[in-house]
Amino acid sequence: MGQLTGGDPSLLRRINSAVVLRALRAAESPTLTDLTRVTGLSRPTVEGVVEGLIGTGLVVEAGAEEGARRQGRPARRYRFRTEAGHLLGIEIGSHRVAVLLSGLDGRVIGAGTKEVAETASADERLERVRAAVADLLRRAGVPRDSLRAVGVGSPGIVEADGTVRLGTALPGWTGLPLGERLRRSFRCPVRVENDANAAAVAEHWKGAAQDTDDVVFVMAGLSPGAGSLIGGRLHRGFGGAAGEIGALHLLGRDVTPEKLLSTTGEPLHPLDEQAVAEVFAKARRGDEQAVAAVERFIQRLVHDVAALVLAMDPELVVVGGWAAGLHGVLDPLRRELERYCLRPPRVAQSLLGEAAVATGALRLALDHVEEELFAVEKTVTTRRR
């Protein structure tokens, strides 16, 4: 970019604004003196930037502390208005839709869910999403026009514009212009991401991978998927299909995962979680056919994960999805990864559980807002690790 020494005053003002705003959001009611010290900018510059940010509604003067008030006129304090806008994180699943609501700091202030039939059409499922959002906004007393960004986690291979290129888990999902359909319901940007990718982002933000930048998140199930972070950044692949380990059985394998876990010879339905849980329950009771089925299922899952681990070399594998809580998944995965991998990664269970996808979707919405607020600063600073 060259030196920023007065060649573009407008750019300098935007940079100063981003620097001060970030400092305001990170601190608790700082004074102008505090902001001057933290940012390294001159006091007149900081004062001018703060006045401009107050004009945008993103910053407000904070109330003086009582102790300071008794000692005379206190220094003026300011705070970032997290209530100046709101964010939504939405999970669209086979049996339910879930919604999280936050202010501009990403702190959740409301949540809601709506059950939906696994056989529901795309239109019916999207109507449940709209109903869940409307109900949550009403209960939270938040007007729809205060939404700044919406993040969505969905099954399937999702393209950059939010179109589901391939989505076999939900009826009518393949080819669905999901992003376009949802943008009709909101007056703000909508970011759509694969559910496993969203969950990986969530675990890195608030879950088991907070201190790790190279992570594989496994959405364990009959048709497993995975999301990966490399250097703290989501790896989607060229067409958004990175991590589709559920398709590995096509590479010369005749038996599908649905048949591996069957005790009757008839394949299980990929979305019939109750039937799958019953197989695991029978295995715990010592049923020989169920024990053999579970062993086949775990071995397939381990091989699928090992293939991705060998390619990605992550520091950590986080296992989530409905199968993560079933007895006997994590230990065999650890043992097998030690056999197959040159440097076995740590293996941990998701800390966020069923909230992982919606939480990751909320983080995507927060990322969008932060890109708008701090984009100029990011162009001139080194990337944080």
Side-chain angles (χ1 to χ4, degrees):
M1 292 182 62
Q3 293 187 1
L4 301 175
T5 56
D8 186 351
S10 176
L11 176 59
L12 287 174
R13 282 194 296 270
R14 294 198 304 272
I15 293 172
N16 291 339
S17 179
V19 170
V20 172
L21 187 59
R22 186 181 288 277
L24 273 162
R25 199 180 72 158
E28 184 174 348
S29 302
T31 63
L32 290 176
T33 300
D34 296 331
L35 293 171
T36 298
R37 182 180 64 254
V38 170
T39 63
L41 300 173
S42 69
R43 186 181 180 91
T45 296
V46 170
E47 190 167 10
V49 168
V50 169
E51 289 178 358
L53 290 172
I54 290 175
T56 67
L58 289 172
V59 173
V60 68
E61 187 170 348
E65 297 178 1
E66 289 298 324
R69 189 173 296 149
R70 288 195 298 267
Q71 299 172 12
R73 184 177 180 180
R76 297 167 69 183
R77 293 181 175 275
Y78 304 89
R79 69 174 179 85
F80 175 71
R81 293 187 66 237
T82 61
E83 71 275 19
H86 294 87
L87 311 172
L88 281 178
I90 302 173
E91 174 195 4
I92 303 178
S94 57
H95 299 95
R96 68 166 196 163
V97 297
V99 187
L100 296 177
L101 175 69
S102 82
L104 294 181
D105 57 356
R107 295 182 182 179
V108 175
I109 59 176
T113 60
K114 293 285 185 184
E115 298 300 316
V116 60
E118 65 185 50
T119 57
S121 67
D123 288 342
E124 291 171 323
R125 202 172 300 275
L126 291 178
E127 186 55 39
R128 296 300 280 173
V129 171
R130 297 186 188 97
V133 169
D135 180 61
L136 177 56
L137 294 179
R138 178 187 55 78
R139 288 189 287 107
V142 171
R144 183 177 290 265
D145 59 9
S146 76
L147 294 175
R148 294 291 189 92
V150 176
V152 182
S154 164
I157 298 173
V158 180
E159 297 182 343
D161 65 354
T163 299
V164 182
R165 180 153 58 93
L166 179 64
T168 59
L170 304 179
W173 222 242
T174 296
L176 179 70
L178 181 57
E180 178 184 330
R181 293 283 299 272
L182 289 175
R183 288 183 192 104
R184 301 173 190 171
S185 301
F186 302 102
R187 297 179 181 177
C188 63
V190 176
R191 294 183 59 173
V192 183
E193 187 57 79
N194 167 266
D195 54 0
N197 286 349
V201 170
E203 294 292 341
H204 188 250
W205 183 29
K206 291 188 173 183
Q210 292 181 65
D211 299 322
T212 308
D213 281 347
D214 294 283
V215 183
V216 165
F217 176 90
V218 178
M219 187 77 75
L222 285 183
S223 297
S228 302
L229 278 75
I230 301 175
R233 295 180 180 273
L234 187 62
H235 177 68
R236 298 178 177 85
F238 178 72
E244 291 296 325
I245 57 176
L248 287 175
H249 71 276
L250 300 175
L251 302 179
R253 299 179 179 178
D254 296 328
V255 182
T256 65
E258 295 91 326
K259 195 168 183 178
L260 283 173
L261 201 53
S262 171
T263 59
T264 65
E266 292 295 324
L268 300 178
H269 192 284
L271 301 180
D272 193 346
E273 298 172 9
Q274 184 174 354
V276 174
E278 180 60 26
V279 174
F280 274 80
K282 288 181 178 179
R284 288 195 297 273
R285 294 194 295 267
D287 183 283
E288 293 184 0
Q289 287 184 317
V291 168
V294 168
E295 289 178 352
R296 291 194 301 267
F297 169 77
I298 292 177
Q299 191 68 17
R300 174 64 62 83
L301 179 63
V302 167
H303 285 172
D304 291 347
V305 174
L308 189 56
V309 168
L310 285 170
M312 305 296 296
D313 187 28
E315 179 182 351
L316 173 68
V317 173
V318 180
V319 183
W322 58 262
L326 298 176
H327 179 72
V329 172
L330 294 188
D331 286 341
L333 181 57
R334 291 188 182 100
R335 289 195 299 268
E336 293 300 293
L337 290 179
E338 288 177 359
R339 288 180 55 199
Y340 292 111
C341 301
L342 298 176
R343 190 199 56 76
R346 292 186 290 115
V347 177
Q349 188 165 338
S350 167
L351 294 182
L352 299 174
E354 65 179 7
V357 176
T359 301
L362 182 65
R363 179 69 240 190
L364 294 174
L366 182 59
D367 284 346
H368 177 84
V369 169
E370 290 185 342
E371 287 167 8
E372 288 189 332
L373 296 178
F374 309 127
V376 174
E377 186 186 14
K378 287 182 179 178
T379 64
V380 295
T381 59
T382 57
R383 177 177 170 273
R384 290 183 175 87
R385 284 190 58 83

